[in-house]
Amino acid sequence: MTTNRLARLLNLVPYLVARPEGVPMAEIAADFGVDVEQIQADLTMLWMCGLPGYGPGDLIDIAFDADAVRVLFAAGMDRPVRLAAHEALALSVALRVLADTPGVGDRAAIASALDKLAAAAGEAPADVAVRDTVTDPQVEKYAALVASGHAARITYYSASRDTTSERVVDPIEIVVADGHAYLRAWCRTAGEIRQFRIDRIDACTELDEPSEPLRLTNQPAPTAFLASELPRIELLLGAGAKGVADSYPCEAVLGEPDGRRRVVMRVRDLDWARRFVLGLGGEAEVVAPTELRDAVRQTARAALARYAPAA
């Protein structure tokens, strides 16, 4: 029996005992992250488990029907398994990080969960230093802007285009990614949802009008920003550019026989990627996409042509 299955079996009975009204098989499977067939096999095994002696009155008694599963006799397995010390510590650290994450609405609930975790573990959580998820001092200001329900006029610096622009936005929420906080908002200038990195917002003025992100369109409620929607590039990096893998989020980093690194990463757009690759000089070679490789080659040739001797 695998460790995962044993843990699931030990938790299934307390889970069902806490729900005497019965639980649909599909819901049990979803809660435990397995398919219905696996849960059926687990319940069948539990049905034949019990106290030493193994008479009918000692075995776990489980009732199955078309709509729900119920435990009629738990044979002493009605208490959930306690967390091990390292499991309680990991969960405590995760909750503390969540409490420090901008945009989390109910921090009181997180504090309550931490108290309950300490009580369940039987001891106070270890005093572990947790690094802030975001250090930008302006985060709370923009979280308050979102909560106000007002639109705002911002001056924003776009690093990908090296330009500064002024635009009116309808704030939606604060999101965090890769150590930076972003204001996710409907941009009236672009006519779509954008994410503005907070440390690149040079100025912000709250307007005396409601924030209505979709007032200019008939679109459904916005979906979350997906990194998978961004262009993906593949590069071969020499020794002088190995720091790229440490400074930028990469989907894959692989070593090559010649000592170079092959990295796969997402970029804002291919024009930014062109400038990025050129900035690495001869330490970067574009593997894909072909469009980016051709753009880098053409720009490099144009630059070299300027240094060609006059006819």
Side-chain angles (χ1 to χ4, degrees):
M1 181 186 300
T2 65
T3 302
N4 287 342
R5 189 180 190 193
L6 176 60
R8 189 168 59 249
L9 290 171
L10 291 173
N11 285 284
L12 258 174
V13 176
Y15 168 90
L16 292 169
V17 169
R19 297 161 176 80
E21 72 283 357
V23 189
M25 192 80 71
E27 183 177 334
I28 301 173
D31 286 346
F32 282 88
V34 295
D35 55 35
V36 170
E37 290 73 16
Q38 182 61 61
I39 290 296
Q40 290 174 335
D42 291 343
L43 292 173
T44 300
M45 176 175 287
L46 284 170
W47 204 4
M48 299 304 296
C49 295
L51 300 174
Y54 307 108
D58 297 319
L59 298 176
I60 295 174
D61 191 4
I62 302 175
F64 300 81
D65 59 40
D67 299 320
V69 178
R70 300 175 180 83
V71 171
L72 304 180
F73 181 67
M77 292 183 62
D78 54 341
R79 290 176 298 176
V81 180
R82 290 183 61 180
L83 292 171
H86 70 281
E87 294 172 327
L89 175 61
L91 187 54
S92 173
V93 170
L95 285 170
R96 290 169 61 188
V97 170
L98 185 62
D100 291 337
T101 300
V104 175
D106 195 349
R107 297 189 180 183
I110 298 174
S112 175
L114 279 168
D115 292 340
K116 292 177 181 177
L117 176 62
E123 57 185 14
D127 186 14
V128 177
V130 179
R131 186 177 65 183
D132 291 341
T133 54
V134 174
T135 58
D136 195 306
Q138 299 295 311
V139 170
E140 295 301 331
K141 168 186 173 181
Y142 288 96
L145 175 63
V146 173
S148 74
H150 291 168
R153 177 176 287 105
I154 65 172
T155 302
Y156 186 70
Y157 169 69
S158 173
S160 63
R161 294 179 174 82
D162 193 24
T163 59
T164 299
S165 60
E166 185 176 284
R167 58 190 75 197
V168 174
V169 299
D170 297 290
I172 299 173
E173 62 181 345
I174 301 296
V175 296
V176 176
D178 301 320
H180 296 289
Y182 296 81
L183 173 65
R184 184 165 177 261
W186 175 265
C187 176
R188 298 184 187 178
T189 303
E192 60 184 16
I193 293 174
R194 292 288 177 86
Q195 290 195 140
F196 303 96
R197 212 170 99 175
I198 287 177
D199 61 356
R200 292 177 179 166
I201 300 178
D202 295 330
C204 176
T205 303
E206 183 177 336
L207 302 180
D208 189 20
E209 59 180 276
S211 172
E212 300 177 2
L214 303 179
R215 66 190 182 90
L216 301 179
T217 73
N218 294 319
Q219 297 184 19
T223 56
F225 173 80
L226 298 176
S228 59
E229 296 174 354
L230 298 176
R232 180 165 59 180
I233 67 172
E234 184 175 343
L235 307 174
L236 284 173
L237 302 177
K242 287 185 177 180
V244 168
D246 300 322
S247 303
Y248 295 85
C250 296
E251 294 185 352
V253 180
L254 303 172
E256 293 290 310
D258 59 3
R260 292 188 294 176
R261 285 185 178 181
R262 181 182 296 265
V263 301
V264 178
M265 57 192 295
R266 299 280 180 174
V267 295
R268 177 65 182 84
D269 54 50
L270 292 183
D271 186 55
W272 178 90
R274 175 183 62 84
R275 299 196 305 272
F276 175 70
V277 172
L278 289 169
L280 296 174
E283 296 293 335
E285 177 185 341
V286 179
V287 178
T290 302
E291 179 183 354
L292 175 60
R293 187 167 62 242
D294 292 344
V296 170
R297 181 184 295 114
Q298 290 172 8
T299 305
R301 285 176 176 171
L304 288 173
R306 295 188 176 186
Y307 292 92

